[in-house]
CSV table of all heavy atoms in Angstrom, one decimal:
chain,number,residue,atom,x,y,z
A,1,THR,N,-59.5,-77.7,4.4
A,1,THR,CA,-59.0,-78.5,5.5
A,1,THR,C,-59.1,-80.0,5.1
A,1,THR,O,-58.2,-80.8,5.5
A,1,THR,CB,-59.8,-78.2,6.7
A,1,THR,OG1,-59.6,-76.9,7.1
A,1,THR,CG2,-59.5,-79.2,7.9
A,2,ILE,N,-60.1,-80.4,4.3
A,2,ILE,CA,-60.3,-81.8,4.1
A,2,ILE,C,-60.0,-82.2,2.7
A,2,ILE,O,-59.3,-83.3,2.4
A,2,ILE,CB,-61.8,-82.1,4.3
A,2,ILE,CG1,-62.2,-81.7,5.8
A,2,ILE,CG2,-62.0,-83.7,4.1
A,2,ILE,CD1,-61.5,-82.4,6.9
A,3,ILE,N,-60.4,-81.5,1.7
A,3,ILE,CA,-60.4,-82.1,0.3
A,3,ILE,C,-59.0,-82.3,-0.3
A,3,ILE,O,-58.7,-83.3,-0.9
A,3,ILE,CB,-61.2,-81.1,-0.6
A,3,ILE,CG1,-62.7,-81.1,-0.2
A,3,ILE,CG2,-61.0,-81.5,-2.1
A,3,ILE,CD1,-63.6,-80.3,-1.1
A,4,PRO,N,-58.0,-81.4,-0.1
A,4,PRO,CA,-56.6,-81.7,-0.6
A,4,PRO,C,-56.1,-83.1,-0.1
A,4,PRO,O,-55.6,-83.9,-0.8
A,4,PRO,CB,-55.8,-80.6,-0.1
A,4,PRO,CG,-56.8,-79.4,-0.1
A,4,PRO,CD,-58.0,-80.0,0.4
A,5,MET,N,-56.3,-83.4,1.2
A,5,MET,CA,-55.9,-84.6,1.8
A,5,MET,C,-56.7,-85.8,1.2
A,5,MET,O,-56.2,-86.9,0.9
A,5,MET,CB,-56.0,-84.6,3.3
A,5,MET,CG,-55.6,-85.9,4.0
A,5,MET,SD,-55.6,-85.9,5.8
A,5,MET,CE,-54.3,-84.7,6.2
A,6,MET,N,-58.0,-85.5,1.0
A,6,MET,CA,-58.9,-86.5,0.3
A,6,MET,C,-58.4,-86.9,-1.0
A,6,MET,O,-58.3,-88.0,-1.4
A,6,MET,CB,-60.3,-86.0,0.2
A,6,MET,CG,-61.3,-87.0,-0.2
A,6,MET,SD,-62.8,-86.3,-0.9
A,6,MET,CE,-63.3,-85.2,0.4
A,7,LEU,N,-58.0,-85.9,-1.8
A,7,LEU,CA,-57.4,-86.1,-3.2
A,7,LEU,C,-56.2,-87.0,-3.1
A,7,LEU,O,-55.9,-87.9,-3.9
A,7,LEU,CB,-57.2,-84.8,-3.9
A,7,LEU,CG,-58.4,-84.0,-4.2
A,7,LEU,CD1,-58.0,-82.6,-4.8
A,7,LEU,CD2,-59.3,-84.6,-5.2
A,8,ASP,N,-55.3,-86.7,-2.1
A,8,ASP,CA,-54.1,-87.5,-1.8
A,8,ASP,C,-54.4,-88.9,-1.5
A,8,ASP,O,-53.8,-89.9,-2.0
A,8,ASP,CB,-53.3,-86.8,-0.7
A,8,ASP,CG,-51.8,-87.1,-0.8
A,8,ASP,OD1,-51.4,-87.5,-1.9
A,8,ASP,OD2,-51.1,-86.8,0.1
A,9,VAL,N,-55.4,-89.1,-0.7
A,9,VAL,CA,-55.9,-90.5,-0.3
A,9,VAL,C,-56.4,-91.3,-1.6
A,9,VAL,O,-56.1,-92.4,-1.7
A,9,VAL,CB,-57.0,-90.4,0.8
A,9,VAL,CG1,-57.6,-91.8,1.0
A,9,VAL,CG2,-56.5,-89.9,2.1
A,10,ILE,N,-57.1,-90.5,-2.4
A,10,ILE,CA,-57.6,-91.2,-3.6
A,10,ILE,C,-56.5,-91.6,-4.5
A,10,ILE,O,-56.5,-92.8,-5.1
A,10,ILE,CB,-58.6,-90.2,-4.4
A,10,ILE,CG1,-59.8,-90.0,-3.5
A,10,ILE,CG2,-59.0,-90.8,-5.7
A,10,ILE,CD1,-60.8,-88.9,-4.1
A,11,VAL,N,-55.5,-90.8,-4.7
A,11,VAL,CA,-54.4,-91.1,-5.6
A,11,VAL,C,-53.5,-92.2,-5.0
A,11,VAL,O,-53.1,-93.2,-5.7
A,11,VAL,CB,-53.6,-89.9,-5.9
A,11,VAL,CG1,-52.3,-90.3,-6.7
A,11,VAL,CG2,-54.3,-88.8,-6.6
A,12,LEU,N,-53.2,-92.1,-3.7
A,12,LEU,CA,-52.3,-93.1,-3.1
A,12,LEU,C,-53.0,-94.3,-2.6
A,12,LEU,O,-52.3,-95.3,-2.2
A,12,LEU,CB,-51.5,-92.4,-1.9
A,12,LEU,CG,-50.7,-91.2,-2.2
A,12,LEU,CD1,-50.2,-90.6,-0.9
A,12,LEU,CD2,-49.6,-91.6,-3.2
A,13,GLU,N,-54.3,-94.3,-2.6
A,13,GLU,CA,-55.3,-95.4,-2.1
A,13,GLU,C,-55.1,-95.5,-0.6
A,13,GLU,O,-55.9,-96.4,0.0
A,13,GLU,CB,-54.9,-96.7,-2.8
A,13,GLU,CG,-55.1,-96.6,-4.3
A,13,GLU,CD,-54.9,-98.0,-5.0
A,13,GLU,OE1,-54.7,-99.0,-4.3
A,13,GLU,OE2,-55.0,-98.0,-6.2
A,14,GLU,N,-54.2,-94.8,0.0
A,14,GLU,CA,-54.2,-94.7,1.5
A,14,GLU,C,-53.2,-93.5,1.8
A,14,GLU,O,-52.4,-93.2,1.0
A,14,GLU,CB,-53.7,-96.0,2.2
A,14,GLU,CG,-52.4,-96.4,1.8
A,14,GLU,CD,-52.1,-97.7,2.4
A,14,GLU,OE1,-52.9,-98.6,2.7
A,14,GLU,OE2,-50.8,-98.0,2.7
A,15,LYS,N,-53.4,-93.0,3.0
A,15,LYS,CA,-52.6,-91.9,3.4
A,15,LYS,C,-52.2,-92.0,4.8
A,15,LYS,O,-53.0,-92.2,5.7
A,15,LYS,CB,-53.4,-90.6,3.1
A,15,LYS,CG,-52.8,-89.3,3.7
A,15,LYS,CD,-51.7,-88.8,2.9
A,15,LYS,CE,-51.2,-87.4,3.4
A,15,LYS,NZ,-50.0,-87.0,2.6
A,16,ARG,N,-50.9,-91.8,5.1
A,16,ARG,CA,-50.3,-91.7,6.5
A,16,ARG,C,-50.4,-90.3,7.0
A,16,ARG,O,-49.9,-89.4,6.3
A,16,ARG,CB,-49.0,-92.4,6.6
A,16,ARG,CG,-48.9,-93.9,6.3
A,16,ARG,CD,-47.6,-94.5,6.5
A,16,ARG,NE,-47.6,-95.9,6.3
A,16,ARG,CZ,-47.9,-96.8,7.1
A,16,ARG,NH1,-48.3,-96.4,8.4
A,16,ARG,NH2,-48.0,-98.0,6.8
A,17,VAL,N,-50.9,-90.1,8.2
A,17,VAL,CA,-50.9,-88.7,8.8
A,17,VAL,C,-50.6,-88.9,10.3
A,17,VAL,O,-51.0,-89.9,10.9
A,17,VAL,CB,-52.3,-88.1,8.6
A,17,VAL,CG1,-53.4,-89.0,9.2
A,17,VAL,CG2,-52.4,-86.8,9.2
A,18,SER,N,-49.7,-88.0,10.8
A,18,SER,CA,-49.3,-88.0,12.2
A,18,SER,C,-50.5,-87.8,13.1
A,18,SER,O,-51.6,-87.2,12.7
A,18,SER,CB,-48.3,-87.0,12.4
A,18,SER,OG,-48.8,-85.6,12.2
A,19,VAL,N,-50.4,-88.2,14.4
A,19,VAL,CA,-51.5,-88.1,15.3
A,19,VAL,C,-51.8,-86.5,15.5
A,19,VAL,O,-52.9,-86.1,15.5
A,19,VAL,CB,-51.2,-88.7,16.6
A,19,VAL,CG1,-52.1,-88.3,17.7
A,19,VAL,CG2,-51.0,-90.2,16.4
A,20,SER,N,-50.7,-85.7,15.6
A,20,SER,CA,-50.9,-84.3,15.8
A,20,SER,C,-51.5,-83.6,14.5
A,20,SER,O,-52.4,-82.9,14.6
A,20,SER,CB,-49.6,-83.6,16.0
A,20,SER,OG,-48.6,-83.8,14.9
A,21,GLY,N,-51.1,-84.1,13.3
A,21,GLY,CA,-51.7,-83.6,12.1
A,21,GLY,C,-53.2,-84.0,12.0
A,21,GLY,O,-54.1,-83.2,11.6
A,22,CYS,N,-53.6,-85.2,12.5
A,22,CYS,CA,-54.9,-85.6,12.5
A,22,CYS,C,-55.8,-84.7,13.4
A,22,CYS,O,-56.9,-84.4,13.2
A,22,CYS,CB,-55.0,-87.1,12.9
A,22,CYS,SG,-56.5,-87.9,12.6
A,23,MET,N,-55.2,-84.5,14.6
A,23,MET,CA,-55.9,-83.6,15.6
A,23,MET,C,-56.1,-82.2,15.1
A,23,MET,O,-57.2,-81.6,15.3
A,23,MET,CB,-55.2,-83.6,16.9
A,23,MET,CG,-55.1,-85.0,17.6
A,23,MET,SD,-56.7,-85.7,17.9
A,23,MET,CE,-56.3,-87.4,18.2
A,24,VAL,N,-55.2,-81.7,14.4
A,24,VAL,CA,-55.3,-80.3,13.8
A,24,VAL,C,-56.4,-80.3,12.8
A,24,VAL,O,-57.2,-79.4,12.8
A,24,VAL,CB,-54.0,-79.9,13.2
A,24,VAL,CG1,-54.2,-78.6,12.4
A,24,VAL,CG2,-52.9,-79.6,14.4
A,25,GLN,N,-56.5,-81.4,11.9
A,25,GLN,CA,-57.5,-81.4,11.0
A,25,GLN,C,-58.8,-81.5,11.6
A,25,GLN,O,-59.8,-80.8,11.1
A,25,GLN,CB,-57.2,-82.5,10.0
A,25,GLN,CG,-58.3,-82.6,8.9
A,25,GLN,CD,-58.1,-83.9,8.0
A,25,GLN,OE1,-58.1,-84.9,8.5
A,25,GLN,NE2,-58.0,-83.7,6.7
A,26,LEU,N,-59.0,-82.3,12.6
A,26,LEU,CA,-60.3,-82.5,13.3
A,26,LEU,C,-60.6,-81.2,13.9
A,26,LEU,O,-61.9,-80.8,13.9
A,26,LEU,CB,-60.3,-83.6,14.4
A,26,LEU,CG,-61.4,-83.8,15.2
A,26,LEU,CD1,-62.5,-84.4,14.2
A,26,LEU,CD2,-61.2,-84.9,16.2
A,27,TYR,N,-59.7,-80.5,14.5
A,27,TYR,CA,-60.0,-79.2,15.2
A,27,TYR,C,-60.5,-78.2,14.2
A,27,TYR,O,-61.5,-77.5,14.5
A,27,TYR,CB,-58.7,-78.7,15.8
A,27,TYR,CG,-58.9,-77.3,16.5
A,27,TYR,CD1,-59.5,-77.1,17.7
A,27,TYR,CD2,-58.3,-76.2,15.8
A,27,TYR,CE1,-59.6,-75.8,18.2
A,27,TYR,CE2,-58.3,-75.0,16.4
A,27,TYR,CZ,-59.1,-74.7,17.6
A,27,TYR,OH,-59.2,-73.5,18.1
A,28,LEU,N,-59.9,-78.1,13.1
A,28,LEU,CA,-60.2,-77.1,12.0
A,28,LEU,C,-61.6,-77.5,11.5
A,28,LEU,O,-62.5,-76.6,11.2
A,28,LEU,CB,-59.2,-76.9,11.0
A,28,LEU,CG,-57.8,-76.4,11.4
A,28,LEU,CD1,-56.8,-76.4,10.2
A,28,LEU,CD2,-58.0,-75.1,11.9
């Protein structure tokens, strides 16, 4: 739920995520 997006953030130095996508991640 967390680490793949974290790796994306590290590579891109920032990451855009939709509000709904953010809520789904927090829920999981």
Side-chain angles (χ1 to χ4, degrees):
T1 298
I2 305 296
I3 294 181
M5 182 179 291
M6 186 200 312
L7 294 172
D8 208 12
V9 172
I10 293 172
V11 172
L12 300 176
E13 300 187 1
E14 61 184 29
K15 170 74 174 178
R16 294 189 178 274
V17 56
S18 65
V19 173
S20 58
C22 192
M23 296 304 165
V24 169
Q25 185 186 53
L26 181 62
Y27 174 75
L28 295 177

